[in-house]
Amino acid sequence: MTQAQQPAVSRFPVPELKDMPEDIQARILEVQEKSGFIPNVFLTLAHRPDEFRAFFAYHDALMEKPGNLTKAEREMIVVATSSLNQCQYCVIAHGAILRIRAKDPLIADQIATNYRKADITDRQKAMLDFAVLVSQKAQEVGEADFDTLKQHGFSDGDIWDIAGISAFFGMSNRLANVTSMRPNAEFYSLGR
Amino acid sequence: MTQAQQPAVSRFPVPELKDMPEDIQARILEVQEKSGFIPNVFLTLAHRPDEFRAFFAYHDALMEKPGNLTKAEREMIVVATSSLNQCQYCVIAHGAILRIRAKDPLIADQIATNYRKADITDRQKAMLDFAVLVSQKAQEVGEADFDTLKQHGFSDGDIWDIAGISAFFGMSNRLANVTSMRPNAEFYSLGR
Amino acid sequence: MTQAQQPAVSRFPVPELKDMPEDIQARILEVQEKSGFIPNVFLTLAHRPDEFRAFFAYHDALMEKPGNLTKAEREMIVVATSSLNQCQYCVIAHGAILRIRAKDPLIADQIATNYRKADITDRQKAMLDFAVLVSQKAQEVGEADFDTLKQHGFSDGDIWDIAGISAFFGMSNRLANVTSMRPNAEFYSLGR
Amino acid sequence: MTQAQQPAVSRFPVPELKDMPEDIQARILEVQEKSGFIPNVFLTLAHRPDEFRAFFAYHDALMEKPGNLTKAEREMIVVATSSLNQCQYCVIAHGAILRIRAKDPLIADQIATNYRKADITDRQKAMLDFAVLVSQKAQEVGEADFDTLKQHGFSDGDIWDIAGISAFFGMSNRLANVTSMRPNAEFYSLGR
Amino acid sequence: MTQAQQPAVSRFPVPELKDMPEDIQARILEVQEKSGFIPNVFLTLAHRPDEFRAFFAYHDALMEKPGNLTKAEREMIVVATSSLNQCQYCVIAHGAILRIRAKDPLIADQIATNYRKADITDRQKAMLDFAVLVSQKAQEVGEADFDTLKQHGFSDGDIWDIAGISAFFGMSNRLANVTSMRPNAEFYSLGR
Amino acid sequence: MTQAQQPAVSRFPVPELKDMPEDIQARILEVQEKSGFIPNVFLTLAHRPDEFRAFFAYHDALMEKPGNLTKAEREMIVVATSSLNQCQYCVIAHGAILRIRAKDPLIADQIATNYRKADITDRQKAMLDFAVLVSQKAQEVGEADFDTLKQHGFSDGDIWDIAGISAFFGMSNRLANVTSMRPNAEFYSLGR
């Protein structure tokens, strides 16, 4: 398949790497080196450099931040909420990351289809119940929900993290659906 | 992991193979020989022999029947509708079958997350639009929906097939969710 | 009104009785003898003999099976869930059967409009709460729902029965809506 | 069954006829003379004389008003919208009135379960589409909906009538559900 | 802006004051004298004198009635439920009245956007929870809801009031959306 | 009212200005100088400096960016989508900004309650239809939606802007609801 025949990465223009601002090039080359390929979210958002920078700064602030939630748990939140938002890119790309982080080849597909039936702890189910509530009906969140999380050992800081990840990926899901952002073929089999 | 530590196949009792009626044993041995393992839907439903027999007779009548829908297209219907019903077993097991039938390692995950963004034809999208309508709001199906399908070349017989598969797996999705039917580990990686 | 002017039984072809396979003819003649007329579900599904056979085998396995649920209670499940699925055939035909089974001319219309206000026991309300949950949101069914049912005296076997009937008629409702299956005029007044 | 054992007309107090204001007594005796029984909506609302008077004044302004909608068509609107609101009293009582007005024993049950499959004209279906839209999503009503109705021959005055009836019975449905207003046994069989 | 250029009060005809029945004229002049302007709901409904009379009789019976709910609390119910029904006229007009009745310039906007976050008492939140339930899902109202209200000190009479106001304005919201009833400019700033 | 008695800005800790990182202090002092007060979103997010920086970088990239959408139109998107998400802070704060940007004291309340009835152009209604679709059902966005926007003169770049603003404030709405972020009293009357 020639370049021209490959399915589009995004329905919006995708700049050539060489035409991108230097800091964005650098970030992309770094992820490429680490992963072996360039995840399409980088190419899609490079169309809007300022939004690219803010997006990944926000992403890193939530996903790389130290805290009580493990990296795998953060990815669980992404997969569970993105699946309900029917976001192909986020479920497939973060499903791969979840498999790797959790060292579990089954977990991502379980959570993507119905997290209530996944091989996770009760604490993780409570975490996902809250993440899904924030994603679907944040207007109804109240102190009773915080109390439930605290009974499972989550601190106020953890609760902010869960809500922040759910809210940020709710944005990301909408952008991916509007841009028809295509998951890289590599993601489908990573970590299986 | 010993037998006792393995996660349950179903939250209801699962009989030993040797205690099942002969015809059910035969069907299960046949599928085991063909697939190399026993899909858990057979073990779960064996708890109720008469329902087992009717379920698989119905399944075969819809999925093995000759007709214009390819076997891969029938599986697309199963995956798209089961995902909206959040049925872990059906999405994971039939996702595997879809990958094999379509000889495409990406198609199942694409359809499971958002079939509108999948690498399928416009005709297949129309098929899935209808299958999803039957699954979610069958009460609103009307002649305009049949006309759209006919413009894509579907016959009345094909329309019955699409509706039948959507309706049958709507039942199956509910049974799998109530029984917490567990997808076999083998399904996750088949056809990738 | 001549035959030709009568409203269609189904929007799909309906075979002549004499052209049907013998076993299907036999089943239809048996029900006609017992009821005095041929319920249209038999004529509609006769268009697809294999599906006809599987459908009624499944129906009988759930509705004729011995167990703790009375025959009237099984019909209550059909009427409550079919009404939410807006299935004209199932509400009207099974409403008639419910009136007869329960020897109560009011019960079917009460349950069809709002089962929470019907003249039924608390145990029957819990049964219908669960049947409706399976019908509308089976993905959310969990152990708390089983516990509630057990507090009302339902066994695991009863729970399977309730879920099975709800799921089977969810399929039937979709088929009836897609085929525009017409309730026989006789059903409207039976048992009143 | 003694008085004490009869199911309650309303979960709120129901005054004795002799204790009601004279004008309300008069209205009730008039309807009793005409119908042969006192519909429970009169007894339930008599608990609140001012609301009783306003309710029936409004009811009569919409239902007895001359205009292009036939009396049967007005009742169709009541039955279709009340069924979606799961109002037992309104579906059962106005179902009876619809059967009588339309001189058709089947029409009420058809419309109550799925008006799209009822034996009504396309014009009546358009009327019910609009009535249901007003009942379920009035915020989305726009000029395109008015245009559709005008193509079916409805005037602006008719459109107000349809909307008014849908809106008024939306109120009535909510009152009936909150008061657990019980349909009189007589309604179930009237007009069949 | 000349009269002709002003945005329409209603998409239906609005009669001249002098052409209205005398009692309606009188009511309108009375409200104009009190408020300094004629709220558009009076002009919109004057197109239908009988409905006008019943509407305002009903309104007064619920909103002017003595009882435990303060006038401000009644307006809270109107604002919370009308906002969920996306009724521009009711939120803006009754928002103004609420600010005046509660002598609080912030309360109406708080309740219109999310009453759960408003500066109100727990008792008032329980009142609005019930009002919203009646407005959105009255079919699910049951004794548990009454018990909650009673724990907050509401009597059966208060409960009827809350439900009545919610149901009446549910009707009003639908009429306002269908007629595109325009809020008077005066309402936006009243009581701020 | 002493400091201690004032309602909380956020249910999470809010740092003292002097304890914040310098760049955040600077940004807050700048907005305070310009507005005369510190909008509570700055105080709430200052609890998480990295997220604060990314949030406002993203905000500015979308809201301050040159392009065909006017600043008032961008605020319309915020108000329409935040209202459906029931976000008190965003509707009240951005309602104020919208009134100022549009130099129209009525527009914000109109759009917050039902943008379909607001005094805006057809082009603006199409913009809000799309923004709301992205906010509520982004998974269904397709080429037909892009075509409608192009017929109203929107470019691909404008479409990205609309979607970006809708998606970003969808995140913001969820954060505000989880943190119970309180709108400053000043916002309620600004621009009226």
Side-chain angles (χ1 to χ4, degrees):
Chain A
M1 193 155 44
T2 71
Q3 178 77 23
Q5 291 169 322
Q6 285 183 346
V9 159
S10 160
R11 79 169 296 292
F12 289 87
V14 172
E16 298 281 322
L17 193 63
K18 67 179 170 53
D19 299 330
M20 297 178 192
E22 244 176 67
D23 62 317
I24 292 182
Q25 277 190 42
R27 169 95 197 218
I28 287 180
L29 291 172
E30 185 195 336
V31 72
Q32 187 179 26
E33 190 162 15
K34 197 168 139 195
S35 313
F37 64 96
I38 305 171
N40 286 337
V41 63
F42 291 91
L43 299 177
T44 301
L45 293 182
H47 176 51
R48 297 279 196 133
D50 288 345
E51 296 166 43
F52 178 105
R53 291 179 190 107
F55 182 92
F56 288 106
Y58 216 136
H59 174 277
D60 295 351
L62 290 164
M63 302 300 279
E64 311 287 340
K65 177 178 163 293
N68 296 323
L69 301 183
T70 66
K71 289 201 168 183
E73 285 169 347
R74 290 167 208 235
E75 298 297 333
M76 286 178 191
I77 296 170
V78 181
V79 172
T81 57
S82 299
S83 177
L84 292 172
N85 285 331
Q86 299 183 39
C87 177
Q88 204 177 78
Y89 186 87
C90 297
V91 172
I92 291 170
H94 287 271
I97 305 174
L98 171 54
R99 285 190 295 271
I100 292 168
R101 299 276 197 234
K103 299 189 199 329
D104 179 342
L106 309 189
I107 192 73
D109 294 349
Q110 288 176 355
I111 289 179
T113 46
N114 191 346
Y115 73 92
R116 300 172 200 84
K117 308 286 183 183
D119 294 334
I120 56 177
T121 64
D122 283 352
R123 182 181 157 278
Q124 289 167 339
K125 269 179 204 162
M127 175 187 79
L128 294 180
D129 282 340
F130 183 67
V132 163
L133 180 65
V134 171
S135 186
Q136 303 287 310
K137 301 205 169 195
Q139 64 272 21
E140 296 183 6
V141 168
E143 287 304 312
D145 302 304
F146 287 85
D147 291 347
T148 302
L149 288 167
K150 287 182 179 176
Q151 283 162 24
H152 281 93
F154 292 103
S155 67
D156 269 350
D158 300 337
I159 293 173
W160 180 298
D161 287 346
I162 300 169
I165 295 168
S166 175
F168 175 81
F169 280 93
M171 174 179 68
S172 183
N173 297 162
R174 284 165 177 80
L175 295 175
N177 263 317
V178 172
T179 58
S180 289
M181 194 187 294
R182 183 177 176 84
N184 305 59
E186 288 85 347
F187 283 126
Y188 292 78
S189 53
L190 272 176
R192 291 193 182 274
Chain B
M1 194 154 47
T2 69
Q3 176 78 23
Q5 290 169 321
Q6 286 183 345
V9 160
S10 159
R11 81 168 294 292
F12 289 87
V14 172
E16 298 282 322
L17 194 62
K18 66 180 171 51
D19 300 330
M20 297 178 192
E22 246 177 64
D23 61 318
I24 292 182
Q25 276 190 43
R27 169 94 196 218
I28 287 180
L29 292 172
E30 185 195 337
V31 73
Q32 186 179 27
E33 189 162 14
K34 196 167 140 196
S35 313
F37 64 97
I38 305 171
N40 286 336
V41 62
F42 291 92
L43 298 176
T44 301
L45 293 182
H47 176 51
R48 296 279 197 134
D50 288 344
E51 296 166 44
F52 177 107
R53 290 180 191 107
F55 181 93
F56 289 106
Y58 216 135
H59 174 279
D60 295 351
L62 290 164
M63 302 301 279
E64 310 287 340
K65 177 181 162 292
N68 295 322
L69 302 182
T70 66
K71 288 202 167 181
E73 285 170 346
R74 290 167 208 235
E75 297 296 333
M76 287 178 191
I77 297 170
V78 181
V79 172
T81 57
S82 299
S83 177
L84 293 172
N85 285 333
Q86 299 183 39
C87 176
Q88 204 176 78
Y89 186 87
C90 297
V91 172
I92 291 171
H94 287 271
I97 304 174
L98 171 53
R99 285 191 294 272
I100 292 168
R101 299 278 197 233
K103 299 189 200 330
D104 179 342
L106 310 189
I107 192 71
D109 294 349
Q110 288 176 354
I111 289 179
T113 47
N114 190 346
Y115 73 91
R116 299 170 200 86
K117 311 285 183 183
D119 295 333
I120 54 177
T121 64
D122 284 352
R123 181 180 158 280
Q124 288 166 340
K125 269 179 206 163
M127 173 187 82
L128 295 181
D129 282 339
F130 183 67
V132 164
L133 180 65
V134 170
S135 186
Q136 302 286 310
K137 300 204 169 195
Q139 66 272 21
E140 297 183 6
V141 168
E143 286 304 311
D145 302 304
F146 287 86
D147 291 346
T148 301
L149 288 167
K150 287 181 179 177
Q151 282 162 23
H152 281 92
F154 291 104
S155 68
D156 269 351
D158 300 336
I159 294 173
W160 180 298
D161 286 346
I162 301 169
I165 295 168
S166 176
F168 176 80
F169 280 92
M171 173 178 70
S172 182
N173 296 162
R174 285 165 177 80
L175 295 175
N177 264 317
V178 172
T179 58
S180 290
M181 194 189 294
R182 184 177 176 82
N184 305 59
E186 288 85 347
F187 283 126
Y188 292 77
S189 52
L190 270 177
R192 291 195 183 272
Chain C
M1 194 153 45
T2 71
Q3 178 79 22
Q5 290 169 322
Q6 284 183 349
V9 159
S10 160
R11 80 168 295 292
F12 289 87
V14 172
E16 299 281 322
L17 193 62
K18 67 181 171 50
D19 300 329
M20 298 179 192
E22 243 177 66
D23 62 318
I24 292 182
Q25 277 190 42
R27 170 92 196 221
I28 287 180
L29 292 172
E30 184 194 338
V31 73
Q32 186 179 28
E33 188 161 17
K34 197 167 140 195
S35 312
F37 63 97
I38 305 172
N40 286 337
V41 64
F42 291 92
L43 298 176
T44 300
L45 293 181
H47 175 51
R48 297 278 198 135
D50 288 344
E51 297 166 43
F52 177 107
R53 291 180 190 107
F55 182 94
F56 288 106
Y58 216 135
H59 174 278
D60 295 352
L62 289 164
M63 302 300 279
E64 311 287 339
K65 175 181 165 291
N68 295 323
L69 301 183
T70 66
K71 289 201 168 183
E73 285 169 346
R74 291 166 207 236
E75 298 296 334
M76 286 178 191
I77 296 170
V78 181
V79 172
T81 57
S82 299
S83 178
L84 293 173
N85 284 331
Q86 299 183 40
C87 177
Q88 204 176 78
Y89 186 87
C90 297
V91 173
I92 292 170
H94 287 271
I97 304 175
L98 171 54
R99 286 189 295 270
I100 291 168
R101 299 277 197 233
K103 298 189 199 334
D104 179 342
L106 310 189
I107 192 72
D109 294 349
Q110 289 177 353
I111 288 180
T113 46
N114 189 347
Y115 73 91
R116 300 171 200 84
K117 310 285 183 183
D119 294 335
I120 56 178
T121 64
D122 284 350
R123 182 181 157 280
Q124 288 166 338
K125 270 178 204 163
M127 174 187 80
L128 295 181
D129 282 340
F130 182 69
V132 163
L133 180 65
V134 171
S135 186
Q136 303 285 311
K137 302 204 168 196
Q139 65 270 21
E140 297 183 5
V141 168
E143 287 304 312
D145 303 303
F146 288 85
D147 290 346
T148 302
L149 288 167
K150 287 181 179 177
Q151 282 162 23
H152 281 94
F154 291 103
S155 68
D156 270 351
D158 300 336
I159 293 172
W160 179 301
D161 287 345
I162 300 169
I165 295 168
S166 176
F168 176 80
F169 280 93
M171 173 177 69
S172 182
N173 296 162
R174 285 164 177 80
L175 296 175
N177 263 316
V178 171
T179 58
S180 288
M181 195 188 293
R182 184 177 176 84
N184 305 59
E186 287 86 346
F187 283 126
Y188 292 77
S189 53
L190 270 176
R192 291 193 183 274
Chain D
M1 193 154 46
T2 70
Q3 178 76 23
Q5 291 169 319
Q6 284 184 346
V9 159
S10 159
R11 81 168 295 292
F12 290 87
V14 172
E16 298 282 321
L17 194 61
K18 67 179 171 50
D19 299 331
M20 298 179 191
E22 245 177 65
D23 61 317
I24 292 181
Q25 277 190 43
R27 169 91 196 222
I28 287 179
L29 292 172
E30 185 194 336
V31 72
Q32 185 178 29
E33 190 161 13
K34 197 166 140 195
S35 314
F37 63 98
I38 305 172
N40 287 337
V41 64
F42 291 92
L43 298 177
T44 300
L45 293 181
H47 176 50
R48 297 279 197 133
D50 289 344
E51 296 167 43
F52 177 107
R53 291 178 191 109
F55 182 94
F56 289 106
Y58 216 135
H59 174 278
D60 295 351
L62 289 164
M63 302 301 278
E64 311 287 341
K65 177 181 162 292
N68 295 322
L69 301 183
T70 66
K71 289 201 167 181
E73 285 170 345
R74 290 166 207 237
E75 297 297 334
M76 287 178 191
I77 296 170
V78 181
V79 171
T81 57
S82 299
S83 177
L84 292 173
N85 285 331
Q86 298 183 39
C87 176
Q88 203 176 78
Y89 186 87
C90 297
V91 172
I92 292 170
H94 287 272
I97 304 175
L98 171 54
R99 286 190 294 271
I100 292 167
R101 298 279 197 232
K103 298 189 199 333
D104 179 342
L106 310 188
I107 192 73
D109 294 349
Q110 289 177 353
I111 288 179
T113 47
N114 190 346
Y115 73 91
R116 300 171 201 84
K117 310 285 183 184
D119 295 333
I120 56 178
T121 64
D122 284 350
R123 182 180 157 278
Q124 288 166 339
K125 269 178 204 163
M127 174 186 81
L128 294 181
D129 282 340
F130 183 68
V132 164
L133 180 65
V134 170
S135 186
Q136 302 287 311
K137 300 204 168 195
Q139 64 272 21
E140 297 184 5
V141 168
E143 286 304 311
D145 303 304
F146 287 85
D147 291 346
T148 302
L149 288 167
K150 286 180 180 179
Q151 282 161 24
H152 282 95
F154 291 103
S155 69
D156 269 352
D158 300 336
I159 293 173
W160 179 299
D161 287 346
I162 300 169
I165 295 167
S166 175
F168 176 81
F169 280 92
M171 173 178 69
S172 183
N173 296 162
R174 285 165 177 79
L175 296 175
N177 263 318
V178 172
T179 58
S180 290
M181 195 188 293
R182 184 178 176 82
N184 305 58
E186 288 85 346
F187 284 126
Y188 292 78
S189 52
L190 270 176
R192 290 192 183 274
Chain E
M1 192 154 49
T2 69
Q3 178 76 24
Q5 290 168 321
Q6 285 183 347
V9 160
S10 160
R11 80 169 295 293
F12 289 87
V14 172
E16 298 282 322
L17 194 62
K18 65 179 171 52
D19 299 331
M20 297 179 191
E22 245 176 66
D23 62 317
I24 291 182
Q25 277 190 43
R27 170 94 196 219
I28 287 180
L29 291 172
E30 186 194 336
V31 73
Q32 186 179 28
E33 189 161 15
K34 196 167 140 196
S35 314
F37 63 96
I38 305 171
N40 286 337
V41 63
F42 291 92
L43 298 177
T44 301
L45 293 182
H47 177 51
R48 296 279 197 133
D50 287 345
E51 296 167 43
F52 177 106
R53 291 180 190 107
F55 182 93
F56 288 106
Y58 215 135
H59 174 278
D60 295 352
L62 290 164
M63 301 302 277
E64 311 287 341
K65 176 179 163 294
N68 296 323
L69 302 183
T70 66
K71 288 202 168 182
E73 285 170 345
R74 291 167 207 235
E75 298 296 334
M76 286 178 193
I77 297 169
V78 181
V79 171
T81 56
S82 299
S83 177
L84 292 172
N85 285 331
Q86 299 183 39
C87 177
Q88 203 176 77
Y89 186 87
C90 297
V91 173
I92 291 170
H94 286 272
I97 305 174
L98 171 54
R99 285 189 296 271
I100 291 169
R101 298 276 197 236
K103 298 189 200 329
D104 179 342
L106 310 189
I107 192 73
D109 294 349
Q110 289 176 354
I111 289 178
T113 46
N114 190 346
Y115 73 91
R116 299 172 200 84
K117 310 286 182 182
D119 294 334
I120 55 178
T121 64
D122 283 352
R123 182 181 157 279
Q124 288 166 339
K125 269 179 206 161
M127 173 187 81
L128 295 181
D129 282 340
F130 183 68
V132 164
L133 180 65
V134 171
S135 186
Q136 302 287 309
K137 300 203 170 196
Q139 65 272 22
E140 296 183 4
V141 168
E143 285 306 311
D145 303 303
F146 287 85
D147 290 346
T148 302
L149 288 167
K150 287 182 179 176
Q151 283 162 23
H152 280 94
F154 292 103
S155 68
D156 269 352
D158 301 336
I159 293 172
W160 181 298
D161 287 345
I162 300 169
I165 295 168
S166 175
F168 176 80
F169 280 92
M171 173 178 69
S172 183
N173 296 162
R174 285 165 177 78
L175 296 175
N177 264 317
V178 171
T179 58
S180 289
M181 194 189 292
R182 183 177 177 83
N184 305 58
E186 288 85 347
F187 283 126
Y188 292 76
S189 53
L190 270 176
R192 291 195 182 271
Chain F
M1 193 153 45
T2 71
Q3 178 76 23
Q5 291 168 321
Q6 285 182 348
V9 160
S10 161
R11 81 169 294 292
F12 289 87
V14 172
E16 297 283 321
L17 193 63
K18 65 179 169 55
D19 299 330
M20 297 179 191
E22 246 177 65
D23 61 317
I24 292 182
Q25 276 191 42
R27 168 94 197 218
I28 287 180
L29 292 172
E30 185 194 337
V31 72
Q32 186 179 28
E33 191 161 12
K34 197 167 139 194
S35 313
F37 63 96
I38 305 172
N40 286 337
V41 64
F42 291 90
L43 299 176
T44 301
L45 293 182
H47 176 51
R48 296 279 195 132
D50 288 344
E51 296 166 43
F52 178 106
R53 291 180 191 108
F55 182 93
F56 288 107
Y58 216 135
H59 174 276
D60 296 351
L62 290 164
M63 302 302 278
E64 310 288 339
K65 176 179 164 293
N68 295 322
L69 301 183
T70 67
K71 288 201 168 183
E73 285 169 346
R74 289 166 208 235
E75 298 297 334
M76 286 178 191
I77 296 170
V78 181
V79 172
T81 56
S82 299
S83 177
L84 293 173
N85 285 331
Q86 299 183 40
C87 177
Q88 204 176 78
Y89 185 87
C90 297
V91 172
I92 291 170
H94 286 271
I97 304 174
L98 171 55
R99 285 190 295 272
I100 292 168
R101 298 277 197 235
K103 299 189 200 327
D104 179 340
L106 310 189
I107 191 73
D109 294 349
Q110 289 177 353
I111 288 178
T113 45
N114 190 346
Y115 73 91
R116 301 172 199 84
K117 310 286 183 183
D119 294 334
I120 55 177
T121 64
D122 283 352
R123 181 180 157 280
Q124 289 166 338
K125 268 179 205 162
M127 174 186 80
L128 295 181
D129 282 340
F130 183 68
V132 164
L133 179 65
V134 170
S135 187
Q136 303 288 309
K137 301 205 168 193
Q139 65 271 21
E140 296 184 5
V141 168
E143 287 304 312
D145 303 304
F146 287 85
D147 290 346
T148 302
L149 287 167
K150 287 181 179 178
Q151 282 162 23
H152 281 94
F154 292 104
S155 68
D156 269 350
D158 300 337
I159 293 172
W160 180 297
D161 287 346
I162 300 169
I165 296 168
S166 175
F168 175 81
F169 280 92
M171 173 178 69
S172 183
N173 297 161
R174 284 166 177 78
L175 296 175
N177 263 318
V178 171
T179 58
S180 289
M181 195 188 293
R182 184 176 176 82
N184 304 59
E186 288 85 347
F187 283 126
Y188 292 77
S189 53
L190 270 175
R192 291 193 182 273

